[in-house]
Amino acid sequence: MTKCSGATAQAAYLSEATPQDPYRYHQGFGNRIASEAIPGVLPQARNAPQRVKYDLYSEQLNGSPIVSSRTNIQNVWLYRIRPSVAHRQLQKIPKNDFLIESCFLPMNDNVEQVASQLAWDPFPMPTASEHVDFVHGLKTIGGNGDPTLREGMAIHIYTASTSMDRSAFCNNDGDFLILPQVGLLDIQTELGRIMVRPGELVVIQAGIKFRVSLPFGPSRGYVQEIFGSHYELPELGPMGSNGMAYPRDFDIPVASFDIDSSAWNIVYKLGGRLHTCEQSHTPFDVVAWHGNYAPFKYAIEKFVNMANVEKDLADPTIYTVLTARSKVPGVTLTDFLAFTPRWSTTTNTFRPPYYHRNMSTEVMGLIYGQYGGSSHVLEPGGLSYEASYMPHGESYQTWKESTTKELVPERVAEGTLAWMWHLSAPLLLTRYALEKSGCLHRSDATRWDNVQGHFLDHLAEINADLATAGLPLLGQHEIAQ
């Protein structure tokens, strides 16, 4: 009989640094995490002791109303060198200094609802000599609702050529979901550092300060902002415990702090307006923290695709990575869908996306590769837009090919990462998107002129079926009328 001692974990699990990402992370979506840059700092059995170790300041950040159900409470306790309140007077920034829009109500003349299908070519990158950082490079495409109502969302693009230098941004209006399409983002947050590459997403919740550095040059990407809600994982339902985005694949930063008493500039966004203030110390001085209100990132390539394997098509929401609730019970505010390489195996099925009209507005982008699931020509860094209830689908040529070819198991979307935002409310587009971007191209007005109706090609067969059923035949006279 062989007997030997086993092993015992010595610490909580952290991911390992890689050549592409020098940082380590906690893991697990929505977990309550305790993180210390210096061991022993976190107080035990209380959140606000009379005196925190090393005379740090205790500070709570609530991401939900204080009176909430236990399952909805999101908060974090921070133990920092100086409290956030230590800053100078806030000053409004003139609106014309930025192309950020937050009010998407009908009385705002800067936005409008458009019925036509639209698409945008890749948005141009600023040159290094233009010195455009992440905040100055934000431009709003559209949205719905208003942050003062705590309901709605906005879609932005960003293009940046320089790092944020001794400046930080704090979005008090909502959560940011950022998708870099070109270039890496080295993001320093109050709770730690995150490196994000194309193919990954990062979520930074409302009220958390951050700054963006560009370690390898200019960057471009997409941003969704949600008001009054937070991103969460979709329900799995009959799928059970496994599939789609696994909670363990979400990375949360570890505590990291700087000691810096130089002048800093903080930009706040509140009610759609930008405000700025100065302070004589870095905002990134949190030595330890604990809670479940923390930024996170996710490598979209890890998504576990679920789809029909024998027949018919599932709705595209089967590819939902993250979702956010609206104030209407059972209705989402938005869903973030990802289209990654996968198998298509169904038989006797029209495999491309079916022709459809739905309540949701669809906004789609492409990180890399080629995507054939849209009637638009979509390029990496571009966007497409389909309005609520407006018809859309594949080209006539795709229909002909897909209804006649032999169906065999095949790989689709190889080398491609495309994404879509499903929006339950209509999207109002900004003046920048419609007039100033220089990237808008409308759908070809003649694109659908070649669509043929093939019903009458089968007139003899139709009449035979009608005769069998004892029904009047379709005659040439009736058809001509």
Side-chain angles (χ1 to χ4, degrees), residues 125-128 158-162 182-185 214-220:
M125 304 275 282
T127 63
Y158 78 85
T159 54
S161 61
T162 191
V182 172
L184 270 68
L185 302 181
L214 308 178
F216 298 109
S219 180
R220 174 178 63 201

Side-chain angles (χ1 to χ4, degrees), residues 262-292:
S262 59
W264 278 73
N265 177 258
I266 314 297
V267 175
Y268 292 88
K269 187 164 87 72
L270 178 63
R273 292 297 305 271
L274 296 181
H275 305 73
T276 183
C277 69
E278 294 182 354
Q279 62 184 53
S280 59
H281 57 92
T282 177
F284 307 113
D285 63 354
V286 176
V287 179
W289 61 268
H290 72 85
N292 65 347

